[in-house]
mmCIF file of all heavy atoms in Angstrom:
data_model
loop_
_atom_site.group_PDB
_atom_site.id
_atom_site.type_symbol
_atom_site.label_atom_id
_atom_site.label_comp_id
_atom_site.label_asym_id
_atom_site.label_seq_id
_atom_site.Cartn_x
_atom_site.Cartn_y
_atom_site.Cartn_z
ATOM 1 N N ASN A 537 118.563 29.926 236.086
ATOM 2 C CA ASN A 537 117.303 29.996 236.743
ATOM 3 C C ASN A 537 116.498 31.222 236.461
ATOM 4 O O ASN A 537 115.374 31.127 235.986
ATOM 5 C CB ASN A 537 117.396 29.776 238.203
ATOM 6 C CG ASN A 537 116.691 28.495 238.608
ATOM 7 O OD1 ASN A 537 115.898 28.003 237.853
ATOM 8 N ND2 ASN A 537 117.019 28.013 239.753
ATOM 9 N N LYS A 610 127.820 42.658 220.171
ATOM 10 C CA LYS A 610 128.739 43.324 219.233
ATOM 11 C C LYS A 610 129.664 42.380 218.466
ATOM 12 O O LYS A 610 130.318 42.708 217.506
ATOM 13 C CB LYS A 610 129.588 44.358 219.960
ATOM 14 C CG LYS A 610 128.745 45.491 220.483
ATOM 15 C CD LYS A 610 129.613 46.563 221.169
ATOM 16 C CE LYS A 610 128.799 47.747 221.662
ATOM 17 N NZ LYS A 610 128.224 48.503 220.522
ATOM 18 N N GLN A 622 118.278 31.055 207.661
ATOM 19 C CA GLN A 622 118.099 29.671 207.262
ATOM 20 C C GLN A 622 117.162 28.905 208.204
ATOM 21 O O GLN A 622 116.345 28.129 207.754
ATOM 22 C CB GLN A 622 119.481 28.984 207.230
ATOM 23 C CG GLN A 622 119.430 27.506 206.834
ATOM 24 C CD GLN A 622 120.764 26.857 206.740
ATOM 25 O OE1 GLN A 622 121.794 27.461 207.089
ATOM 26 N NE2 GLN A 622 120.844 25.585 206.373
ATOM 27 N N TYR A 623 117.263 29.174 209.502
ATOM 28 C CA TYR A 623 116.582 28.312 210.499
ATOM 29 C C TYR A 623 115.448 28.987 211.224
ATOM 30 O O TYR A 623 114.678 28.282 211.880
ATOM 31 C CB TYR A 623 117.612 27.795 211.513
ATOM 32 C CG TYR A 623 118.610 26.833 210.945
ATOM 33 C CD1 TYR A 623 119.985 27.091 211.042
ATOM 34 C CD2 TYR A 623 118.180 25.687 210.295
ATOM 35 C CE1 TYR A 623 120.908 26.193 210.501
ATOM 36 C CE2 TYR A 623 119.131 24.761 209.764
ATOM 37 C CZ TYR A 623 120.466 25.071 209.900
ATOM 38 O OH TYR A 623 121.338 24.162 209.362
ATOM 39 N N LEU A 627 110.400 34.112 211.946
ATOM 40 C CA LEU A 627 110.686 35.312 212.684
ATOM 41 C C LEU A 627 109.947 36.534 212.221
ATOM 42 O O LEU A 627 109.842 36.760 211.033
ATOM 43 C CB LEU A 627 112.197 35.543 212.634
ATOM 44 C CG LEU A 627 112.870 36.226 213.872
ATOM 45 C CD1 LEU A 627 112.678 35.404 215.108
ATOM 46 C CD2 LEU A 627 114.337 36.486 213.546
ATOM 47 N N TRP A 648 116.023 38.079 201.869
ATOM 48 C CA TRP A 648 115.513 36.959 201.081
ATOM 49 C C TRP A 648 115.195 35.770 201.946
ATOM 50 O O TRP A 648 114.549 34.825 201.454
ATOM 51 C CB TRP A 648 116.525 36.603 199.986
ATOM 52 C CG TRP A 648 116.623 37.675 198.971
ATOM 53 C CD1 TRP A 648 117.591 38.584 198.861
ATOM 54 C CD2 TRP A 648 115.674 37.952 197.961
ATOM 55 N NE1 TRP A 648 117.320 39.483 197.785
ATOM 56 C CE2 TRP A 648 116.141 39.068 197.234
ATOM 57 C CE3 TRP A 648 114.434 37.404 197.552
ATOM 58 C CZ2 TRP A 648 115.439 39.652 196.150
ATOM 59 C CZ3 TRP A 648 113.767 37.942 196.474
ATOM 60 C CH2 TRP A 648 114.251 39.048 195.796
ATOM 61 N N ILE A 698 113.372 52.920 199.964
ATOM 62 C CA ILE A 698 112.226 52.613 200.848
ATOM 63 C C ILE A 698 110.932 52.872 200.154
ATOM 64 O O ILE A 698 109.972 52.077 200.256
ATOM 65 C CB ILE A 698 112.355 53.489 202.149
ATOM 66 C CG1 ILE A 698 113.495 52.900 203.033
ATOM 67 C CG2 ILE A 698 111.009 53.467 202.929
ATOM 68 C CD1 ILE A 698 113.848 53.790 204.210
ATOM 69 N N LEU A 705 105.479 50.333 205.137
ATOM 70 C CA LEU A 705 105.899 50.685 206.475
ATOM 71 C C LEU A 705 104.890 51.553 207.188
ATOM 72 O O LEU A 705 104.257 52.417 206.633
ATOM 73 C CB LEU A 705 107.216 51.438 206.411
ATOM 74 C CG LEU A 705 108.512 50.647 206.164
ATOM 75 C CD1 LEU A 705 109.685 51.590 205.986
ATOM 76 C CD2 LEU A 705 108.792 49.684 207.288
#
Side-chain angles (χ1 to χ4, degrees):
N537 245 343
K610 294 181 178 295
Q622 181 179 2
Y623 293 122
L627 211 61
W648 292 103
I698 287 171
L705 284 173

